Amino acid sequence: MSTVGFRQHDHTHCVHTALAQADAKCKAQRLQFTPVRRRVLEILLEKHRAMGAYDILSVLSAEGMGSQPPVAYRALDFLVQNGFVHRIEQLNAYTACAHPTHDHIPAFLICRSCKAVAETETELTQGRLGAAASTSGFQIERVVVEAEGLCPECIGDQP
Amino acid sequence: MSTVGFRQHDHTHCVHTALAQADAKCKAQRLQFTPVRRRVLEILLEKHRAMGAYDILSVLSAEGMGSQPPVAYRALDFLVQNGFVHRIEQLNAYTACAHPTHDHIPAFLICRSCKAVAETETELTQGRLGAAASTSGFQIERVVVEAEGLCPECIGDQP
DNA sequence: AAGCTTGGTGTTATAACATATCAAGCAGAA
DNA sequence: TTCTGCTTGATATGTTATAACACCAAGCTT
C-alpha cells in the first residue's frame, strides 16, 4: 500500500501516470498546469531523487525554459502548494510526491549517501507530539518528519 | 516531565543551570568548552528562541568574539554534535536543547508567528516510519520531527 | 628545550539557496 | 473590447553555509 521507494519499478509508466493525474487534478481545480510547471514535475519524477532548485533550474535552462532562479522557485511553489511535490527540509531540496491522489502527512526516508528518497505517511498528531501540542495549547498546522540514514543499496558501500 | 516551553519560568536560573551542565559534561568527556562555544550556547539559552547563525554571529561580533561566518558555524557544529543545541531544519536555525542531560530524539513545536520553539521527545522509530524502514531495509540514523503552527500566545493575534 | 601533533581560531573568498520588485504577456469574464 | 487576475521575464539582492589556508596554543616525545 504505502509506497516505499528503494526498489525497481516501471519508471516510464509511473512518470506518465503521475503527470496524467496532475493534469486531471489541475483541470478539476481550475489550476494552470503550465509548460514550466509540468516540466518541473516531470524532471522530479524522472530523477526520482531529491533535487535542489538550482539543479532543476539548470535542466530548464538547458531547454530554454528560463534561466533565472525565480522560474524554478515559482514552479516549485506551485507544485508544493498543490501537493504534487514535497520539500525536503533537511536537504533544501524537492521531490515528487509519491501519493499525489490523496491528502496526507508525508514522512521521508532519506539516504545520506545517494539522496534517494522514499515517501511514506504518518499520523503523527495522535502520538506524543500531538499530546504535547494539545496540553500546551499549540495549534499544529504542518508536520515535518524526515529520517536520514542509509538505504539498502548503500548500506554496504558507505560507512 | 517533558518540557513544553510556552510558559513562564525562572530564566536566569535555567540559563545558569544549563551552562553548568554543559561545563560538567565537557569536563567529563574532555571536550573543550571554549569561550566562543560557551557564549554561543549562552546566547541561545538567553533568547529561548530559534536563532539563525547570522543572528548569533552579529551578537558575537558586537562583543569582539569574531565576525566571520565560520566562527558561528564552528561553534554551532560543536554544540549540535554534542547535543547542547538542536538545529531546526525548517527555519535553518538553532535552539538550545531543553533536555541536555540525556540522549533523546527531539521533536519541536515551532510557532510560525513568534518563532518560539518548544522541545519535546518522540520515539518515532516504533511507529509507521520505523515499520517502513525495517520492511524496506533502510537504516535510520537520525530523525527530524518538527511541527509548525501557532503557539498559545499567538493564536489570537495572527490569522 | 626543540620538535611534533592535534585541535581551535582568524580571515578571505565563494558556493548554495531564496526572494523582492517591477514590467510585460496572456487568458477568461464582463 | 476592456478589465482583471494570474503567469512569466528580468534584474538585483538577500540569506545561509562551506572551502581553504595561515596561525597559535596545549600537550606529548625525544
Side-chain angles (χ1 to χ4, degrees), chain B residues 26-63:
Chain B
C26 287
K27 213 159 267 173
Q29 302 192 10
R30 309 264 184 285
L31 300 170
Q32 300 188 41
F33 199 40
T34 64
V36 179
R37 292 168 176 181
R38 185 187 176 89
R39 183 64 187 126
V40 170
L41 178 55
E42 192 177 24
I43 290 165
L44 285 170
L45 288 163
E46 280 165 355
K47 280 274 183 176
H48 218 285
R49 283 212 170 357
M51 294 181 77
Y54 281 74
D55 297 334
I56 292 164
L57 180 59
S58 73
V59 177
L60 289 178
S61 163
E63 296 171 358

Side-chain angles (χ1 to χ4, degrees), chain B residues 65-83:
Chain B
M65 298 186 85
S67 57
Q68 299 308 316
V71 174
Y73 282 102
R74 287 194 283 234
L76 287 167
D77 285 349
F78 170 88
L79 295 169
V80 168
Q81 206 69 40
N82 294 289

Side-chain angles (χ1 to χ4, degrees), chain B residues 54 69-70 73 87 92 94:
Chain B
Y54 281 74
Y73 282 102
R87 177 176 164 84
N92 297 327
Y94 303 83

Side-chain angles (χ1 to χ4, degrees), chain A residues 2 4 7 44 55 59 80 85 88 95 101 103 113 129 143 154:
Chain A
S2 72
V4 177
R7 58 184 182 223
L44 285 169
D55 297 335
V59 178
V80 169
V85 163
I88 308 292
T95 191
T101 49
D103 265 1
S113 171
L129 189 61
V143 178
C154 296

Side-chain angles (χ1 to χ4, degrees), chain A residues 96-119:
Chain A
C97 176
H99 317 130
T101 49
H102 68 290
D103 265 1
H104 58 281
I105 302 179
F108 300 97
L109 300 173
I110 302 159
C111 179
R112 70 168 155 83
S113 171
C114 71
K115 304 293 183 237
V117 171
E119 180 184 344

Side-chain angles (χ1 to χ4, degrees), chain A residues 41-53:
Chain A
L41 178 55
E42 192 177 24
I43 289 164
L44 285 169
L45 287 163
E46 280 164 354
K47 281 276 183 175
H48 217 286
R49 283 213 171 357
M51 294 181 76

